[in-house]
Amino acid sequence: SLSLSQRYFVNLEFWHRSGGPVFLYIGGEGTLSEYSVLAGHHVSMAAQHSALLVSLEHRYYGQSAASTLDNDQLDTERLSQLSSQQALYDLMLFQQYICRLYGLTSRNTWISFGGSYAGSLSAWLRGKFPHLIYGAVASSAPVKAQLNFTEYNKVVAKSLSNPVVGGSDQCVLAVRQAFSVLDSALRSGRLSSVATDFQSCTALSDPADRRELLSSLAGIAMGAAQYDGQGVPLSIAQVCAIMGNSSSADAYTRLAQLAQAYLQQVGEPCLWSSFQQRLSELQDIRLQPGGVGERQWSYQTCTEFGYYQSCEDPSCPFSPLLTLQAQTQLCPLVFGVSEDRLASAVQFTNSYYGSDSPATYRVLYVNGDVDPWHVLSVLPGSSCCGGRGGGGEGSLALLIPGASHCADMAPPYLTDPPALREARQVSDGERERARETRRERGTRRRVGGE
Ligand SMILES: *[C@@H]1O[C@H](CO)[C@@H](O)[C@H](O)[C@H]1NC(C)=O
Ligand SMILES: *[C@@H]1O[C@H](CO)[C@@H](O)[C@H](O)[C@H]1NC(C)=O
């Protein structure tokens, strides 16, 4: 008998029992809600394809954390059972559980879906359990782990200068100038005026707090690029309306105005700049209800993925004080994971899953070129996706101009840019073709996992 300690959701509304496919929506590093089977592009497609919709929350995240842990304590020893490999094993058990619960057979084809980290899980699940998962959609999936993720901010700079999303060369130039003036103000010890100009929550006497302030400021632009047009406090167009307006004030002053506009949007009195507070929050082993599991995700970056968005490369428009080491130091401080072990952990992840050319096929990789994560994913023209492709034996990769992180996963909106609309149609078509190929071969291949 099977029992599950993770939370899951099922939507039977569209399902055609005798042969309808199963769409598995994979939960990532946050809480999963019932909307995982009620809304989104995969739900629209489930209606078209008479699919059974199921979703599974990731172990150690959301409400599943409380049901896996007996005393609601996320100490480091317990976190050792938190990994992508364990998540794939959980998904495999869940697949078997659902098959039994609904009496599924090999005629019920499984397609997995996921975005961001869960997008990687979707591709990897197909790769590791090809007999259970017929095809996978991996949205904005950084399948390649990387310790020193310098390209992230390189893409942010590119997006800030991209006119398709309201960016401009003047905008990114002003961001660079402003940070360089800010850096010299900090170097020359004008701490109290910087603290006042940027409404800092701390007095900035501690160098770690100065770096935290720089990180908060950079974060406004990073968030704008990653989630442009998806309800972030400020979009790229809004950031650049302030930063790109050279007739309003000097670049440094515009950056201060940007901070002010941001604080107004999020309704906070001051800009976050306490390193000590961030450290204690990460070190706090009590389970936090709801939201992103910051501590859990930090653990996964320290033990599997890296993904540290450093700013030491000249292509980065922010402060070079935002070093890789400023982030990796948290691994020993929070989890006792030595910084020396990070490079080999990342290397293991890449050799285990195949980095940006996963050893699998029939995976659809969807990315947006405004999203800084796309550089760690599988892109058009890579070795995965040459070949025969087209929903047969190959994989397919789309890079959507002007789209941000996981934008393709939302239900289609009338306001979608044309490129995103077009990409949705391509992916619908690919899935339809995949289904037909599957039907042709249905008698020879056994999928479904009895
Ligand atoms: C630029 O700033 C000036 C002065 O604040 C303002 O009058 C003008 O409308 C702004 N231009 C744009 C394009 O927003
Ligand atoms: C990270 O990468 C950048 C650019 O490639 C490089 O300048 C920097 O030295 C690297 N940092 C570390 C700590 O290796």
Side-chain angles (χ1 to χ4, degrees):
S1 74
L2 282 159
S3 69
L4 275 184
S5 52
Q6 285 163 258
R7 194 156 64 131
Y8 68 94
F9 297 96
V10 176
N11 180 351
L12 297 165
E13 185 185 346
F14 310 115
W15 188 35
H16 191 279
R17 280 182 183 266
S18 64
V22 184
F23 287 3
L24 164 62
Y25 185 92
I26 299 172
E29 71 280 23
T31 303
L32 202 67
S33 80
E34 66 264 35
Y35 292 108
S36 58
V37 293
L38 293 175
H41 189 204
H42 66 293
V43 176
S44 323
M45 285 186 296
Q48 284 164 31
H49 297 281
S50 310
L52 170 63
L53 279 159
V54 296
S55 66
L56 180 68
E57 193 170 62
H58 197 295
R59 74 159 54 201
Y60 284 67
Y61 290 99
Q63 286 187 17
S64 299
S67 50
T68 336
L69 304 164
D70 38 29
N71 57 358
D72 289 2
Q73 306 265 298
L74 274 172
D75 46 277
T76 305
E77 201 179 315
R78 282 208 180 76
L79 284 172
S80 67
Q81 286 167 44
L82 168 61
S83 71
S84 59
Q85 285 168 270
Q86 185 63 55
L88 295 179
Y89 186 77
D90 293 338
L91 285 161
M92 185 270 284
L93 291 181
F94 178 64
Q95 201 266 359
Q96 293 181 352
Y97 174 83
I98 292 293
C99 283
R100 269 184 224 182
L101 197 59
Y102 293 102
L104 303 184
T105 69
S106 58
R107 295 175 59 208
N108 304 98
T109 304
W110 283 69
I111 309 284
S112 60
F113 293 83
S116 201
Y117 162 53
S120 300
L121 291 176
S122 179
W124 296 335
L125 185 68
R126 159 82 188 126
K128 297 294 181 192
F129 299 99
H131 57 302
L132 304 183
I133 304 296
Y134 182 78
V137 180
S139 296
S140 301
V143 289
K144 177 183 176 180
Q146 189 166 309
L147 184 57
N148 185 6
F149 186 14
T150 55
E151 290 88 346
Y152 184 99
N153 284 320
K154 196 175 181 170
V155 178
V156 173
K158 218 172 140 196
S159 298
L160 289 173
S161 67
N162 185 349
V164 171
V165 286
S168 64
D169 289 340
Q170 303 92 285
C171 176
V172 72
L173 196 69
V175 171
R176 270 182 207 287
Q177 270 173 358
F179 272 92
S180 120
V181 175
L182 174 53
D183 273 347
S184 39
L186 290 173
R187 257 198 312 276
S188 58
R190 279 175 286 166
L191 303 179
S192 62
S193 60
V194 168
T196 309
D197 293 343
F198 292 94
Q199 300 174 64
S200 167
C201 297
T202 69
L204 302 179
S205 46
D206 182 343
D209 289 352
R210 285 172 227 157
R211 194 153 51 202
E212 202 67 24
L213 181 80
L214 292 168
S215 168
S216 292
L217 281 169
I220 299 172
M222 290 157 82
Q226 182 167 325
Y227 294 113
D228 184 58
Q230 300 186 67
V232 260
L234 297 172
S235 65
I236 292 175
Q238 288 167 316
V239 167
C240 288
I242 296 171
M243 294 309 296
N245 185 350
S246 51
S247 58
S248 67
D250 61 89
Y252 174 93
T253 307
R254 278 179 263 157
L255 187 61
Q257 289 168 353
L258 182 71
Q260 191 177 13
Y262 172 82
L263 289 174
Q264 241 163 34
Q265 279 295 317
V266 297
E268 276 166 27
C270 58
L271 198 59
W272 178 277
S273 58
S274 171
F275 176 72
Q276 197 49 54
Q277 199 176 336
R278 182 150 76 98
L279 186 60
S280 358
E281 284 182 8
L282 285 172
Q283 285 171 333
D284 190 344
I285 64 169
R286 287 169 305 175
L287 210 53
Q288 305 299 319
V292 184
E294 286 284 354
R295 177 172 161 83
Q296 296 95 307
W297 180 245
S298 292
Y299 181 80
Q300 290 198 265
T301 65
C302 290
T303 53
E304 295 188 85
F305 305 120
Y307 292 148
Y308 300 115
Q309 298 138 25
S310 61
C311 194
E312 291 163 279
D313 190 85
S315 65
C316 178
F318 313 120
S319 169
L321 290 172
L322 300 171
T323 60
L324 175 64
Q325 210 269 327
Q327 299 179 66
T328 55
Q329 64 169 342
L330 291 168
C331 296
L333 288 175
V334 178
F335 304 111
V337 171
S338 157
E339 285 174 87
D340 301 336
R341 278 171 45 194
L342 298 181
S344 60
V346 165
Q347 199 173 26
F348 172 81
T349 300
N350 284 333
S351 62
Y352 186 75
Y353 293 122
S355 185
D356 55 3
S357 47
T360 179
Y361 58 96
R362 219 179 287 127
V363 179
L364 173 62
Y365 300 93
V366 190
N367 284 279
D369 75 347
V370 167
D371 173 21
W373 290 99
H374 80 262
V375 291
L376 298 183
S377 193
V378 177
L379 300 175
S382 77
S383 59
C384 86
C385 309
R388 281 169 283 171
E393 298 308 307
S395 286
L396 184 71
L398 299 175
L399 183 62
I400 309 171
S404 60
H405 199 57
C406 299
D408 62 294
M409 300 181 80
Y413 288 115
L414 288 174
T415 53
D416 283 341
L420 179 55
R421 232 177 294 156
E422 218 170 277
R424 282 194 218 285
Q425 278 157 17
V426 173
S427 58
D428 286 346
E430 279 310 318
R431 274 175 213 115
E432 187 52 49
R433 262 195 290 287
R435 251 188 117 212
E436 273 154 18
T437 316
R438 156 87 192 87
R439 270 191 224 115
E440 283 157 25
R441 296 189 191 156
T443 49
R444 282 191 288 124
R445 287 187 78 107
R446 291 182 68 79
V447 290
E450 300 100 311

